[in-house]
Amino acid sequence: MTVLETSIGASNQCYAPGVPAGRLSRIVSGYRPLPLQELPCPSMDSRILVGADALLQISESVSDRTLPPGELFDVSVSAVVAASIDEVIDSFPEIPWKRSSAVVAGEFPPEDPPEFLR
């Protein structure tokens, strides 16, 4: 499994589009960049940072194309433990985080797929 797959498939996640650059610097404090090349996801550069118990994936935002590049960023936080996501959300309440959980393949019996797959 790659780092990107781990980030995308984590059981607990939150996402914030359009985070201003000034706030981004506060969010990433305590995280360090992985020594990887920039990842095309699919057409923009993305960086993954690692903390004690979470991964951050950051890319330039596509939420507002009227601002110059480097002003807004999309931020995804992935963690195994829900408390790690709670900590991020609680630390930055001014950011409109959207929380989600990954769907684990074994959660639904084959005869009872989730509604969105029917």
Side-chain angles (χ1 to χ4, degrees), residues 2-13:
T2 68
V3 174
L4 181 59
E5 290 168 331
T6 301
S7 176
I8 293 170
S11 53
N12 297 282
Q13 303 174 12

Side-chain angles (χ1 to χ4, degrees), residues 6-42:
T6 301
S7 176
I8 293 170
S11 53
N12 297 282
Q13 303 174 12
C14 64
Y15 171 76
V19 175
R23 288 190 181 140
L24 179 67
S25 61
R26 289 182 34 232
I27 294 170
V28 301
S29 67
Y31 291 84
R32 58 182 165 68
L34 287 176
L36 302 172
Q37 293 180 344
E38 292 181 355
L39 304 171
C41 293

Side-chain angles (χ1 to χ4, degrees), residues 34-85:
L34 287 176
L36 302 172
Q37 293 180 344
E38 292 181 355
L39 304 171
C41 293
S43 62
M44 66 192 93
D45 290 334
S46 178
R47 289 286 183 170
I48 296 177
L49 293 89
V50 64
D53 52 5
L55 294 173
L56 268 62
Q57 186 174 352
I58 301 167
S59 60
E60 284 200 40
S61 183
V62 294
S63 62
D64 186 349
R65 294 291 194 175
T66 62
L67 295 174
E71 294 286 324
L72 296 177
F73 294 87
D74 296 338
V75 180
S76 297
V77 184
S78 305
V80 174
V81 180
S84 301
I85 299 299

